Amino acid sequence: MLNYIWLIPVLPLTGCVLVGLAGLIRLWYTGKKLNKKIVSAIALASVGLSFLLSVVLVYQLFVVERAQLFNKDFLTWIRAGSLPLAGGGMAGFEVSWGFQLDPLSAVMALVVTSVGFLIHVYSTGYMWDDSGYYRFFSYMNLFMFAMLTLVLANNYLMMFVGWEGVGLCSYLLIGYYFDKKSAGDAGKKAFIVNRIGDAGFILGMTLVFVHFGSLHFETVFLKAAELPVETGTGALFWATLCFFIGACGKSAQIPLYVWLPDAMEGPTPVSALIHAATMVTAGVYMVCRSNALYSRSHEAMMIVAVVGTATAIFAATIGFAQTDIKRVLAYSTVSQLGYMFAALGVGAFVGGIFHVMTHAFFKALLFLGSGSVIMAMHHEQDMMKMGGLKKYLPWTYATMLAGTVAITGIPPFAGFFSKDEILWKAWSGGHEAVWLLLWLGAGMTAFYMFRLLFLTFWGKERMDAHTRSHIRESPRRVVYPLAVLAGLSVVGGWIGLPAWTGIANRFEHFMEPVLRLPEAAGHDAHGVHSVSQELLLTALSVAIALAGIYFAYRFYIARPGTADRITARIRGFYRLVYRKYLVDELYDALFVNRAKNLGNACFFIDSKYIDGVGVNGSAAATRGISSFSRIFDSYVVDGLVNLVGWINMRLNRLFTAFQTGLVQRYVLVAVFGVVVLILVYYNGLLHF
C-alpha cells in the first residue's frame, strides 16, 4: 500500500486536469459552462480520496508495520556531472522524484487533506453562483496537489516544486476576480514578494548541496547529525538563514509579511485554504523538517526566535484597529505564524508543529465563519456595519465562538494546549524575554478576537433596514464544515496534554523520531522546572487571555463608547496603526516606485524626449536610451516571442506534410520503411 503514496498528491492533480480541461472544452465547443454538480463531484472526490488514502497509509505505516519511515525514489529526475564541494572533492548532482512518509509528513498530509476537503465542501455552497465555478475548483485542486507535493517530498528540490506550485496557485486564487483591480494587484503583490523569499530558498539549497553533496533529506540530515554545534556564522548558519528568508516570504514574517493581508481580495474559501492549513504553514514545516540543520546553529535559531516574536507582537497591534472582518483574521494569522516561528527558534519544534495543526482547525473555522457572515450581509465586510447577528445566524455564531475561544487559549479548547506548550518551552529553555512578549501577545490576541466577535454578533444592530430584512443563515453545505471544524477546535489539542496533567503527551511521543535534535543547540527540550512552576505559568497564560476578553467586553459591550473615547485621545497613533504603520507606503517609496522609474527610464521613453528635449538637458543621452530601448524591445523581447512562433509554424508545416489522410501513402511509407530495415540488417549495420 505504501508504494501508492504518490497517489496522495496526484489525485487532486487529476481532479484539476479533469475539471479544467472539461470546463474549457465544453466552453469552447458549446459556449456553455460545465455542469456545477459534475465539477463539485470531481473536485470533492479527488480531495476526499486523497484524505482517505492518507489515513490508510498512515495506519499501514505506524500501526500495521510499526515503522517510523517510508522513503522511496520512484524515478530519477535530474542526473548531472560532478560538482565541487566546499570541503574538497566532487559529487554528482542527482535528484529523484520521491516521497517519504514519517510522523512530520503524516501530520501535515492529514491536516492538509482533511481541512482542505472541508473547505472544498464549503466552497460548493459559497461559490455556487460564481460564473467561473469550474475554474475556481481547478485552481483549488491544483493548490492541493502542490501543497501535498511539498509536505511529502523526500528532498529539497522536490519540496521546492511544491513550494513554487503553491506560490503560483496563490497568485491565481488571490487574483481570481481578475476583473477587479485590487484583486489583480494583490495577486501580483503575493507573487513578487514570494519570489524574494524563493531566492533565499534557492541559495539555501545551493549551500546545502555544496556542503553535504546531496539534497535528499535522509543523506543531508544524517551527515548533519555528525557535525558539532556551530558557535559562529559557518556554513550551516548561512544555509539555514537563506532557508529562513524563504520561510519569511512564504509564511509572512517581517519584513515579507505584507502580501498576506492583501490576500483577502480572493474569495473567502481561498483565504481559509491559504491561511489555515496550506501555504502559510509551508515555511514552518520547512524549518521543522530542517531541524537537524537549525539545531546546530545558535545564531540561526536566535534569528528565527527574534523574528517570530517580533512578528507576533507587531501583527497583533495592527489587528487592534482593523474594521474589515477578514483583515483582522489576516493579521491574526501573521501573529500566530510568529508564535510558531518563535517556538522553533527556542527549540520547541514539537510545539511549533502542534500549533500548526490546532491553528489549521480554528483559523479555517474563523475564515469560513466570516464568509458565512459576509454571505448573510450581502458581501459587506465592515464590522462597524454589523452587530447583533447572533440571533440571525445562530449556527455561524456558535461555531465562530468556538473558534474564537480556541485561538484565545482558553482550556479545554485546542489552542490552549498548543499555545501553552510554546510558552512553557520558551520559559523552561531560558528564553524569558521571548516568553514575556508571547505572553503579552496572548492577551492581545484575546482582545482583538473578542472585539471581532462582539462587534459582529453582539451589541446594537448597525446594518441598514434592507440588509437586516434579508439576513438568513447560510445553507447546510456551508454550516456543516463549520460544525466539524468547531468540534476539531474543541478536541483537536487533547492529543498533546501538558506534563502537569500526569498524562503522557502522545503528540510529542509520536513526533520524537523526527524532531529529536533540539538539545544540540543548547535548548532544553523537556524542561527542568517543577510541575508547580509549569502550572503557575499556565495559570498566567489563561489569566491574561481572560483579561483580554474582559477589556474587549468592557470597551465594546458594557460601555460601547469607551473605545471611541480612547481612540479620540490617541487619534494620531490610532491612524498610524489603522494604516498598518505605513509599511506599504514605505515599500512603495523605496522599492516599488523606484523599480517603476527604472523601467520607465530604460524601456518607455516618452516621445517628447525623443524630439530633442532630453533627459536632464541631454538630448544625446536621451537618444542613446531611446535607441537602446527600441533595439531591446524589437530584437530581444519581440524577437524571442516571434522566434517561438516561427519554430512552431515550421514544425507544423513539417508534420502536417506527413498527415495527408490518404491510406495508400501511409501503406507506401510503411513498405518503404520495412525495405530499408531489411537492407540495413543484411548489410550488417543492425542486429536484432
Side-chain angles (χ1 to χ4, degrees):
M1 285 296 298
L2 291 168
N3 287 318
Y4 292 102
I5 187 174
W6 57 273
L7 275 174
I8 296 177
V10 167
L11 283 169
L13 179 63
T14 304
C16 163
V17 173
L18 289 176
V19 170
L21 285 181
L24 286 173
I25 291 171
R26 180 171 174 79
L27 188 62
W28 284 342
Y29 285 95
T30 68
K32 299 179 181 179
K33 302 291 179 66
L34 189 63
N35 185 282
K36 292 182 178 180
K37 291 184 179 180
I38 296 176
V39 173
S40 301
I42 296 174
L44 294 181
S46 64
V47 180
L49 289 173
S50 183
F51 168 66
L52 292 176
L53 183 60
S54 299
V55 173
V56 170
L57 296 190
V58 168
Y59 180 82
Q60 177 75 23
L61 179 65
F62 298 107
V63 178
V64 177
E65 299 188 8
R66 297 183 179 276
Q68 297 295 334
L69 173 67
F70 173 79
N71 186 1
K72 183 172 181 178
D73 295 329
F74 289 92
L75 56 89
T76 299
W77 178 19
I78 300 173
R79 180 179 290 140
S82 298
L83 298 173
L85 301 180
M90 307 289 285
F93 183 79
E94 183 172 322
V95 179
S96 299
W97 192 265
F99 298 98
Q100 73 175 41
L101 190 65
D102 61 9
L104 181 57
S105 58
V107 169
M108 291 300 297
L110 290 174
V111 169
V112 169
T113 53
S114 61
V115 176
F117 177 73
L118 292 173
I119 294 173
H120 274 68
V121 174
Y122 175 97
S123 300
T124 60
Y126 190 89
M127 300 295 293
W128 186 259
D129 295 328
D130 188 81
S131 59
Y133 194 79
Y134 81 93
R135 179 169 60 92
F136 175 81
F137 277 100
S138 180
Y139 292 166
M140 292 281 278
N141 276 189
L142 183 62
F143 198 115
M144 294 294 294
F145 159 74
M147 188 65 196
L148 289 168
T149 300
L150 190 157
V151 300
L152 293 173
N154 68 355
N155 62 79
Y156 278 111
L157 193 58
M158 192 171 167
M159 175 191 278
F160 189 67
V161 172
W163 188 274
E164 289 296 279
V166 293
L168 169 64
C169 294
S170 68
Y171 167 75
L172 296 173
L173 288 168
I174 294 170
Y176 175 76
Y177 299 122
F178 54 82
D179 55 347
K180 182 180 176 184
K181 185 177 184 303
S182 58
D185 291 343
K188 289 183 287 187
K189 186 176 184 179
F191 191 81
I192 292 171
V193 173
N194 273 274
R195 298 293 74 72
I196 297 171
D198 294 348
F201 194 111
I202 293 172
L203 290 173
M205 284 195 297
T206 304
L207 291 172
V208 164
F209 178 80
V210 169
H211 195 73
F212 296 103
S214 177
L215 292 178
H216 284 258
F217 295 146
E218 192 171 13
T219 302
V220 171
F221 299 155
L222 285 174
K223 291 183 177 180
E226 301 172 356
L227 299 176
V229 177
E230 287 185 350
T231 56
T233 55
L236 287 179
F237 169 80
W238 291 111
T240 52
L241 180 63
C242 289
F243 278 138
F244 184 58
I245 293 172
C248 286
K250 198 67 68 183
S251 296
Q253 297 295 285
I254 293 174
L256 301 179
Y257 72 93
V258 291
W259 68 270
L260 192 57
D262 289 355
M264 299 302 96
E265 293 294 337
T268 298
V270 172
S271 304
L273 190 66
I274 290 176
H275 284 247
T278 55
M279 179 174 173
V280 297
T281 61
V284 181
Y285 168 77
M286 184 267 291
V287 174
C288 268
R289 174 61 70 192
S290 306
N291 72 89
L293 306 179
Y294 280 90
S295 61
R296 277 162 173 75
S297 174
H298 288 291
E299 284 73 13
M301 296 279 280
M302 183 181 299
I303 290 173
V304 174
V306 169
V307 172
T309 304
T311 303
I313 299 298
F314 180 77
T317 61
I318 299 178
F320 278 17
Q322 302 306 306
T323 57
D324 185 310
I325 186 171
K326 287 175 65 177
R327 199 166 289 274
V328 173
L329 295 176
Y331 281 104
S332 168
T333 299
V334 177
S335 180
Q336 295 302 306
L337 289 166
Y339 264 90
M340 298 172 200
F341 279 108
L344 306 185
V346 300
F349 291 102
V350 174
I353 208 68
F354 189 26
H355 200 53
V356 167
M357 183 186 77
T358 60
H359 178 265
F361 301 147
F362 55 70
K363 186 52 62 70
L365 169 60
L366 290 168
F367 266 111
L368 298 184
S370 72
S372 179
V373 171
I374 293 168
M375 288 175 65
M377 292 292 296
H378 303 285
H379 302 285
E380 177 60 65
Q381 297 182 198
D382 189 349
M383 296 185 297
M384 296 305 172
K385 298 179 181 179
M386 299 179 187
L389 288 178
K390 65 178 181 178
K391 70 178 181 181
Y392 299 102
L393 310 173
W395 283 100
T396 301
Y397 168 68
T399 54
M400 282 200 73
L401 176 61
T404 305
V405 175
I407 194 175
T408 300
I410 302 297
F413 289 74
F416 162 75
F417 297 102
S418 56
K419 189 174 290 186
D420 187 63
E421 176 79 4
I422 293 172
L423 290 171
W424 168 244
K425 296 301 183 185
W427 178 273
S428 63
H431 302 276
E432 290 83 0
V434 173
W435 174 87
L436 177 61
L437 291 173
L438 294 182
W439 178 74
L440 292 172
M444 297 164 70
T445 300
F447 179 84
Y448 69 70
M449 285 305 306
F450 269 87
R451 170 181 176 267
L452 179 151
L453 191 78
F454 292 147
L455 287 175
T456 304
F457 294 100
W458 289 44
K460 181 182 177 181
E461 298 177 5
R462 298 179 295 278
M463 71 287 291
D464 59 70
H466 176 75
T467 301
R468 183 185 298 109
S469 64
H470 289 83
I471 297 176
R472 298 289 185 275
E473 181 62 274
S474 299
R476 286 177 294 179
R477 284 178 295 179
V478 170
V479 172
Y480 286 166
L482 295 180
V484 175
L485 288 167
L488 292 171
S489 298
V490 176
V491 304
W494 294 2
I495 61 172
L497 299 177
W500 53 262
T501 61
I503 303 174
N505 189 325
R506 295 183 178 180
F507 188 82
E508 186 174 24
H509 178 71
F510 179 70
M511 299 300 298
E512 187 177 356
V514 183
L515 307 177
R516 60 180 180 272
L517 295 173
E519 295 88 347
H523 300 277
D524 181 6
H526 304 289
V528 296
H529 300 277
S530 64
V531 172
S532 60
Q533 189 174 26
E534 186 175 358
L535 274 171
L536 174 62
L537 293 174
T538 299
L540 287 174
S541 68
V542 174
I544 198 168
L546 292 174
I549 297 172
Y550 168 76
F551 283 112
Y553 179 80
R554 184 178 178 85
F555 287 179
Y556 296 99
I557 301 300
R559 298 182 179 180
T562 304
D564 293 334
R565 289 194 296 271
I566 293 175
T567 54
R569 293 176 184 174
I570 55 171
R571 182 174 300 276
F573 180 70
Y574 176 80
R575 292 284 300 173
L576 181 65
V577 176
Y578 178 76
R579 297 182 64 181
K580 301 161 286 185
Y581 297 104
L582 302 177
V583 173
D584 284 320
E585 289 79 358
L586 178 63
Y587 283 9
D588 282 344
L590 293 178
F591 306 113
V592 178
N593 293 334
R594 303 293 74 80
K596 290 179 180 178
N597 292 343
L598 179 62
N600 290 335
C602 292
F603 304 112
F604 300 105
I605 301 298
D606 192 275
S607 59
K608 66 180 180 180
Y609 292 121
I610 299 175
D611 294 334
V613 175
V615 178
N616 295 329
S618 174
T622 301
R623 286 194 296 272
I625 295 174
S626 177
S627 299
F628 169 76
S629 67
R630 287 198 300 271
I631 293 171
F632 187 88
D633 192 49
S634 300
Y635 294 98
V636 178
V637 179
D638 290 346
L640 288 174
V641 174
N642 294 334
L643 177 63
V644 172
W646 182 85
I647 293 173
N648 285 329
M649 187 181 300
R650 291 296 180 270
L651 290 175
N652 177 267
R653 291 179 179 177
L654 174 64
F655 290 121
T656 53
F658 294 101
Q659 302 295 326
T660 62
L662 299 175
V663 178
Q664 298 94 325
R665 291 190 181 183
Y666 294 161
V667 173
L668 179 63
V669 172
V671 171
F672 178 75
V674 171
V675 172
V676 170
L677 286 175
I678 293 173
L679 292 175
V680 170
Y681 175 76
Y682 279 104
N683 282 278
L685 300 177
L686 184 65
H687 300 280
F688 293 103

